[in-house]
Amino acid sequence: MAVENSYQPAVLFSEEKREEYLLVLETFMLQKRPYLTTCYTIQEMTEDTGIPIFHLSHLINSQFNMNFQNFINLKRVEYIKLRFQEEEWKQLSLEGIALKAGFTSRTTFFRAFIRNTGMAPSSYICMTHSQSN
């Protein structure tokens, strides 16, 4: 007798609620940029957004296919990529860039940057500078 794999992920909230949560999350991320805060936690985001922690975790996992920490690090990398061309940022070391974007260490910064761009920060900087010249 064959056993059919009928696993379905739990539905924690309706599609309407998911859309509402996504709007709250997107607005919050754009306006408050919590990822710039070092050691920002999912508990703090729950308090800041009003989205229950288990809903927030499920939303990030199902919508973005990553855990909370990887989501925050992705936002940090996106923030950095937008600022590489600014004069103030051109003066910073890689450690300075990492700290300014909320990373706690150079190693975490490098891992997150490579995971989200496929290249090291220094390679990315060289590529963007050569494209802008």
Side-chain angles (χ1 to χ4, degrees), residues 84 94 109-110 113-114 117 119-126:
F84 271 142
L94 290 176
F109 166 53
F110 271 67
F113 202 91
I114 291 168
T117 66
M119 55 181 35
S122 54
S123 299
Y124 187 88
I125 291 169
C126 288

Side-chain angles (χ1 to χ4, degrees), residues 23-36:
L23 181 60
V24 168
L25 182 60
E26 182 180 315
T27 302
F28 176 68
M29 296 301 279
L30 287 171
Q31 291 178 351
K32 301 296 182 185
R33 299 189 303 204
Y35 46 86
L36 298 179

Side-chain angles (χ1 to χ4, degrees), residues 8 12 22 34 39 46 56 75 81 87 101 115 117 120 123:
Q8 295 289 323
L12 295 180
L22 282 172
C39 300
T46 290
L56 183 58
K75 295 301 180 184
K81 285 170 51 180
E87 279 307 312
R115 180 184 306 119
T117 66
S123 299

